[in-house]
Each structure stands twice: as structure tokens, then as C-alpha cells.
Amino acid sequence: MAIVEPLAPSPDGHRRLGLRSTSSREPIHEITVSNRDDVAAALARAKAAQRDWGSTPVAERAKIVRGAIDYLVEHRAELIDTIRADTGKTRAEALMVEVIAACDSINHWSACAVRDLSDEVRKTHAFMRPLKKLVMHYRPLGVVGVITPWNGPFALSVNPTVQALLAGNAVLLKPSEVAPRSGDWAARIFHEAGVPEDVIQVLHGDGETGAALVSAGVQKISFTGSVATGKKIALACAEQLIPCTLELGGKDAMIVCADADLERAANGAIFNSIFNTGHVCMGVERIYVVESVADEFERLVEQKMREVRYAGSNSDELSEIGALFWDRQLPIIEGHVQDAREKGAEVVLGGEADTHGGLFYKPTLVRNVDHTMDLMRRETFGPIVSIMRVKDEEEAIRMANDSEYGLSGSVWTRDDEKGIEIAKRMEAGSVHVNDASISYGVLEAPFGGMKQSGLGQVNGKHGLRGYTFQQPIIVDRWKRKTEQHWYPHTEKTAEELDQMVKYVYGTWLKKLPFMRK
Ligand code: NAD
């Protein structure tokens, strides 16, 4: 759904929003916007509930949390219906982008939890090893605010939430006002598995609720959404000195080298540009193909795009492209395509909205684009394949890096080594070789954007531990009455320390391998 309209306030003065489906325009839901007082009350409940949850052994937390998968699988038909009503995406997309991604994320993180979140005794380096023992304690932060967008409203809520829960935190989840019921499901599966009610709570509303949550007194914000909102959140978090991760927008480049498997590249270009109606942060938004293979690549893309099944408003379960998820995305997409047309791009296929029944945009192929066009500079977030020819791979890398965004990217070549070398030169948080849009799902890989695409990284061991305070506990080994460097300092103290510098660091001793580790 996601035609969002204001309704009359509730008798107690709360703002209310009405939601209509973008597939059918039928009213489907209403939400009451949580205000500052509601957020404060939820935070108080979360703080109280977190004490027990945080002191539950991590293995026990993992066992409870993993149970969410069973509930999810059993109730997936109902969940898929809700996600589709919330967004307009196809059944296949609801399964791959949301259901499978969420199952995989819960399964993976609950399997890592004991290994990565239990106390661990770490070896100290040679200088300290005989003297001190280091115990690393991964201490829950407390209450974590999770704020999520509308394009993957279930999976993008589940992934940070499950990590925060496993780390022993309570979670206040603020899902997008555009897809609120998918957010409810992200809490429901954990409640049904046995996570206490107040340990994961959902706060509904728009920016008003999100802003109230950020400044309510939580210990961390995990945000996924637009650059503009991300910057506001960074400022609010800085004022309170709380950490945040910001997973923001992208304008991902795809580089098609002369030696690419053009069949795979064409298939990949189409799918990764238009799946999920093009509403994918790390979807392909710009394609650079080297001149020598451009004719053949463009021919293949056009031929294959004509075969993509698009039913638009004539609802058809086999349609491969869903509705737009949010009414306000339409003018952005239309504006970018119009701007490209006016500046000389060739719109080969599509290029128009289809709003007779629901709210759709035809899958669109645009050629001869360049960097004067919004289509190559701003996040379009629509079902558009945009192709620009470049002289060679050097020019492709230069153009790919000519962007204020740097979320993800891809290189298409038959030579993996070359692909990896080009990937290293791309200013992008993650890069794929002969694939795209998948790095967020490679859960052991840190995920995050360069430049305007974000701050901090999620996923990977460090992402999971990012929901804890990593507290080193230093334990003395010998329990002697005093230490050599404590008081009293005598006339010999400085001399002894100086001798130590001389004999340890002034000789070959320092080069011994065990001295350096
Ligand atoms: P958005 O920034 O408008 O909203 C995201 C969330 O923030 C929503 O829940 C919204 O209600 C809330 N919000 C709005 N104003 C707020 C404020 N002042 N304080 C706190 N919260 C506030 O983004 P969107 O339109 O929902 O999502 C689309 C954007 O998300 C795109 O730019 C897309 O690229 C990006 N995105 C990024 C990733 C990633 O992992 N990098 C993943 C998915 C989407």
C-alpha cells in the first residue's frame, strides 16, 4: 500500500494516517501516529524488560529467537499477503526479498550468537601477556531504536532486530508508515517464539515518531532509509553521543567489460535494475558498457526486456513487475525519465506510468544517457534500465566513481581476477563480480555505503557486535602486593625502566616474532 493520506486526528489529539493500496487504490489500513509521550512510555517498558532479557544466557536467547523461523514458515502465506498488500510487490519478490531473506538472517545470526557474543578470553600481546589476562565481554547496549524504510519493510526490519535481540537488547522498531503491517510482523514472529512483549515493541508513525525515537534516550539507532533522513538522524545522535549506523540510498553502477558473458550481463542488467519495482537500495541504476560490445549488449537487453511479463493494472499473478510501493516515488521516476528525454536520451521501451487501476510504471529501457541527466545522478528507485556507452574500462571506472553515492556496484567480465582489480578501484561499499544486489544477503560480509550512501557498516561479526558495548576486562595474573611501576618511585625506578627500553626495544629482542604479537 502506500498511498498515504492524513486523516482527522483521534479524539485524544493523535495524528492519524490512512493507507490505500497502490495496486488497487482501495483503503486498506489506518495508523495512529505515536507521539513523544507514547515513545517515552514504550522506552520505559523496554528498559524494564531488557534487564531480564539482557541477563538471559546468549545460548538461551538464540534458542528462543530461532523459534521465529518456525512461526514464519508456518504462517508465511498470511505474511506474504500482508507484505504484498503493504507494498504491491509480486509473490516471487515477497518470497525472495522478504521471506527467504528473513529466514536466512534469523538462522544465520542465531547460529553465530554463542560464538560471537559470549565472553571470550583473548590473548594479549607479548609485552602484556605474562602480566595481564584479557576477558572480552559483549555487553548489551540497552534499548536500540530500529528505523526502517518501505522497500523491504519486513526483511529490513527483521535483520537489525534479530541481531539487536541476540545481543541482549530490547528493540523499539519504527517501521515505515508506508508499510506498517509488515513491521508488525517483524515483531510478531519474535513474540510468538517467546521473546517477551516489551522486549520488542513497534511504534507506528512517520517522521514525527522516528524523530521522537531518536531523541528519546535509546542507546543506539540502526537506520535504513534516505540520505536526507539519515543526516537528520546523525545530527540527533551526535547531540546525545549515541552510536548509529546509517544504511542510505545508492546509485549503483554496473560495468560491462568487453570480455563479459553478454548473455548473463544482459539478464543481470534487467533483473537487478527492475526487480522489486526498482525499489532496491543496491539495485543497478547506471550501466556502463564498453563501446566494442555495446551493440550486442543493448540488442540482448532490448530483446530480453520485451519478454519481461508486465501486466500493470490488469492484475495477473504471473506478472513479473509489481506496483509502485509508494505514490510519492512516481513523480521522482517520471521527472528523471522526462529530464533524460529532454537531454537527448532514447527511451526504447516503457517510459510512462500506468495509473488506470493501480499505480504502476512500465519497465523502461533508456539508452544514450549521460551524466548531465538526473537518471544518472540522483537515486531514481524505479523499474528503469539505463545504459551509457563508454570508450573502455578506464572510462567506465571513472564514470562509476563520478557520483555522490557509493553503496554498491558490479563488474561483469569472464576474468575474475580482472573483475576483482576493477572492483577495488570502485568507490563503493561492496562490489560484485558477475552479479549484483546480493551483498546485503551475504551476511558475513560487512555492508555499508561510502560517500553519501551511509555511515558505519552492518552485518558481519562486527555488525553483530555493534549491538553490544565491547567491554574489555583486564585481570591481573599475579596478585602481587604491588607493581614495579607503582609507588614508591625510587632513584632506581626510572633507571630500571630505561634499561628495559634499552634491552627490549634497543636490541634484536624486539624483532623476535613472539615479541611482536
Ligand atoms: P525515508 O528516509 O523517507 O524513511 C525511512 C524511515 O525513516 C521511515 O520509517 C520514516 O518514517 C523514518 N523517518 C522519516 N523522517 C524521520 C526523522 N526525521 N527522524 C527519524 N525517522 C524518520 O526513506 P524511505 O523513503 O522509507 O526509504 C527509501 C530509501 O531507503 C532509499 O533512499 C533507499 O535507497 C534507502 N534504503 C537503503 C538501504 C540500505 O541498506 N542502504 C536499504 C533499503 C533502502
Side-chain angles (χ1 to χ4, degrees), residues 148-151 174 177 210 223-226 229 247-249 281 379:
T148 56
W150 45 262
N151 61 325
K174 211 300 280 169
E177 65 277 24
F223 174 74
T224 312
S226 65
T229 309
E247 294 304 314
L248 309 180
C281 57
E379 190 180 45

Side-chain angles (χ1 to χ4, degrees), residues 43-217:
L43 177 62
R45 290 194 298 273
K47 274 185 179 165
Q50 189 272 333
R51 287 186 206 112
D52 277 352
W53 180 250
S55 54
T56 303
V58 63
E60 180 64 19
R61 291 200 296 258
K63 192 170 157 221
I64 296 171
V65 160
R66 192 181 302 115
I69 301 176
D70 299 334
Y71 184 83
L72 199 168
V73 171
E74 197 179 326
H75 294 83
R76 68 188 183 282
E78 199 190 330
L79 168 63
I80 289 167
D81 286 348
T82 306
I83 292 170
R84 293 190 66 192
D86 263 9
T87 59
K89 62 179 76 182
T90 67
R91 186 173 148 73
E93 287 167 347
L95 277 158
M96 69 184 164
V97 176
E98 309 274 8
V99 173
I100 296 173
C103 288
D104 190 43
S105 147
I106 300 167
N107 206 25
H108 174 74
W109 297 120
S110 55
C112 296
V114 171
R115 185 194 66 199
D116 294 339
L117 297 171
S118 300
D119 287 358
E120 106 193 80
V121 178
R122 248 191 233 172
K123 210 163 104 177
T124 50
H125 69 289
F127 185 74
M128 283 291 168
R129 202 171 308 145
L131 308 171
K132 311 292 166 196
K133 199 162 83 173
L134 168 62
V135 178
M136 282 302 305
H137 175 50
Y138 299 98
R139 188 190 163 103
L141 293 169
V143 182
V144 173
V146 173
I147 302 178
T148 56
W150 45 262
N151 61 325
F154 178 67
L156 292 175
S157 297
V158 167
N159 191 41
T161 295
V162 67
Q163 294 179 60
L165 290 176
L166 286 165
N169 302 288
V171 171
L172 294 179
L173 168 64
K174 211 300 280 169
S176 169
E177 65 277 24
V178 180
R181 292 179 304 167
S182 302
D184 285 334
W185 268 93
R188 183 186 308 172
I189 58 168
F190 293 114
H191 288 150
E192 293 290 341
V195 177
E197 284 290 317
D198 289 343
V199 169
I200 156 94
Q201 299 173 62
V202 180
L203 290 161
H204 284 302
D206 52 14
E208 177 189 343
T209 313
L213 175 58
V214 175
S215 58

Side-chain angles (χ1 to χ4, degrees), residues 278-295:
H279 305 321
V280 181
C281 57
M282 54 174 173
V284 170
E285 292 238 344
R286 303 177 281 151
I287 300 171
Y288 302 100
V289 57
V290 300
E291 191 64 56
S292 59
V293 292
D295 285 346

Side-chain angles (χ1 to χ4, degrees), residues 383-399:
I384 321 270
V385 182
S386 304
I387 306 179
M388 175 172 171
R389 293 177 176 223
V390 289
K391 187 161 70 65
D392 52 23
E393 286 149 12
E394 285 304 312
E395 189 182 2
I397 297 169
R398 213 168 45 249
M399 298 315 281

